[in-house]
Amino acid sequence: MKGTFFKDLLNIRGQFCYYAVVVVIFFIVSALSGNLYFYAGVSSYCGVVAPLSALSYDEKDGWEPFALAAGVTRKELVLSRYLLGGAVMLPVWALSFLFFALPSLRTAENLYVLLSFGGMGLLVMSATLPFVFKLGVEKARAVYIVLIVACMALCIGAASLIAVAGGEGPLITAAALVAAGVVSVPVSAAFSLSIYRKKDF
């Protein structure tokens, strides 16, 4: 699995500069505007874009049948894509907490927003990857776009409620989203593996 993971990193290394530029731009925009939605949205996007890019290269090059014939297991192929998604998304999401170094952004509402988007990012990755393994990258892109739009709408709606709500309810909701996202990853990986084991090449 380690070899597959590093192979994917090498394949998409040319796109990392683009990702880094986008992340930095949205970080600066959020910091200057005081609106964390810009950066939070990017962090939730990163969990799927890297695995999609890696799988797209594999489909184009016909690498998966070769890897299986060479002794790489289907489990390793599946788990390496979840590892790649987490390796990209989690650091980007963790950087969002640097906003709290600015006193003007150090609010409970912003904490709830960042937690909510982090949880939703994991949920989107968990929901999308089984479709990718089932349908292929191109057909699954439509599913991913729908999920991202739904995620943004849900998080913005939740944040609107957070802005007017009081007490511990918003924190519990945000923490529940993070917990649901964490739990969804192994469940999704198991489901993807069951799909991938039935796939013919």
Side-chain angles (χ1 to χ4, degrees):
M1 184 171 70
K2 184 187 298 184
T4 303
F5 172 73
F6 284 114
K7 184 273 299 179
D8 288 339
L9 286 179
L10 288 173
N11 278 348
I12 64 175
R13 67 187 182 278
Q15 300 180 29
F16 272 121
C17 290
Y18 168 75
Y19 298 151
V21 168
V22 171
V23 166
V24 169
I25 289 174
F26 276 80
F27 189 95
I28 293 172
V29 169
S30 290
L32 294 178
S33 66
N35 187 336
L36 303 192
Y37 289 106
F38 296 109
Y39 186 82
V42 167
S43 69
S44 64
Y45 168 80
C46 289
V48 177
V49 67
L52 280 180
S53 297
L55 284 162
S56 180
Y57 279 112
D58 289 349
E59 286 187 3
K60 181 177 66 175
D61 297 335
W63 185 81
E64 290 172 302
F66 170 79
L68 292 171
V72 180
T73 67
R74 293 178 185 245
K75 182 178 181 180
E76 289 171 336
L77 289 174
V78 169
L79 294 183
S80 66
R81 275 50 191 269
Y82 282 86
L83 180 60
L84 180 63
V88 174
M89 183 219 154
L90 293 177
V92 173
W93 179 50
L95 286 174
S96 65
F97 292 93
L98 291 178
F99 287 118
F100 293 114
L102 301 174
S104 61
L105 298 180
R106 202 179 300 147
T107 66
E109 179 183 343
N110 282 339
L111 174 61
Y112 304 151
V113 169
L114 295 181
L115 289 175
S116 297
F117 270 90
M120 289 302 298
L122 291 173
L123 287 169
V124 169
M125 181 179 75
S126 297
T128 303
L129 287 181
F131 283 101
V132 175
F133 287 113
K134 177 69 174 179
L135 304 174
V137 174
E138 293 306 318
K139 291 182 180 179
R141 286 188 192 277
V143 176
Y144 172 55
I145 292 171
V146 171
L147 288 171
I148 282 292
V149 172
C151 170
M152 295 293 291
L154 179 60
C155 286
I156 291 173
S160 299
L161 293 175
I162 287 171
V164 298
E168 298 182 353
L171 177 59
I172 293 173
T173 300
L177 280 172
V178 174
V182 171
V183 171
S184 72
V185 174
V187 173
S188 173
F191 190 54
S192 292
L193 183 56
S194 69
I195 292 172
Y196 203 62
R197 280 175 174 158
K198 301 174 183 176
K199 190 172 182 178
D200 294 324
F201 293 96

